[in-house]
């Protein structure tokens, strides 16, 4: 978890690294507010990625807190790799070239 920036580390401390990386994937580079409850429309995409349990934990612990979500590229790439994504899928999802994705993946594996 040391590879996570401080704001994502705070989320990970309350609800787990998986949800922190999912938030960086979905909302990186933006200001984001923790939904008020798991059934809120703002929580739908997060529930689809990580399930209801972690989102419930997050909403109970940090309901309404605003975060400036960093891009956290390295953490997101590691997370996508753990989910079985290859370079082409990571490149497409993050809107980067496949070459850049492979370089990030190689760097992420080496650390």
């Amino acid at each position: 978890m040391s590879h996570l920036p401080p704001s994502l580390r705070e989320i990970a401390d309350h609800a787990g690294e998986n949800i922190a990386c999912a938030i960086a994937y979905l909302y990186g580079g933006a200001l984001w507010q923790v939904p008020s409850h798991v059934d809120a429309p703002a929580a739908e995409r997060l529930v689809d990625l990580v399930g209801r349990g972690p989102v419930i934990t997050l909403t109970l612990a940090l309901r309404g807190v605003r975060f400036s979500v960093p891009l956290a590229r390295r953490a997101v790439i590691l997370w996508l790799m753990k989910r079985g994504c290859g370079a082409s899928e990571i490149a497409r999802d993050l809107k980067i070239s496949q070459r850049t994705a492979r370089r990030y993946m190689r760097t992420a594996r080496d650390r």
Side-chain angles (χ1 to χ4, degrees):
M1 196 166 23
S2 63
H3 63 281
L4 292 175
S7 60
L8 292 177
R9 224 175 299 135
E10 181 178 354
I11 291 169
D13 288 345
H14 290 282
E17 187 173 342
N18 191 39
I19 196 167
C21 290
I23 289 167
Y25 173 71
L26 292 172
Y27 306 107
L31 186 63
W32 179 75
Q33 183 172 344
V34 177
S36 57
H37 56 85
V38 72
D39 295 318
E44 271 182 45
R45 291 175 65 196
L46 210 46
V47 169
D48 289 343
L49 278 177
V50 299
R52 289 179 65 81
V55 178
I56 290 170
T57 301
L58 177 70
T59 57
L60 290 175
L62 298 171
R63 176 176 304 162
V65 175
R66 289 182 185 264
F67 289 94
S68 179
V69 182
L71 291 175
R73 263 245 174 138
R74 189 174 69 181
V76 170
I77 288 172
L78 281 170
W79 179 72
L80 289 170
M81 287 170 55
K82 287 178 186 175
R83 294 175 63 92
C85 296
S88 61
E89 190 172 358
I90 290 171
R92 187 177 52 254
D93 284 355
L94 300 181
K95 295 173 180 51
I96 58 177
S97 72
Q98 284 188 35
R99 182 178 176 186
T100 300
R102 284 191 298 272
R103 188 181 75 238
Y104 271 114
M105 291 170 75
R106 193 171 39 253
T107 304
R109 277 192 292 258
D110 293 343
R111 290 185 181 203

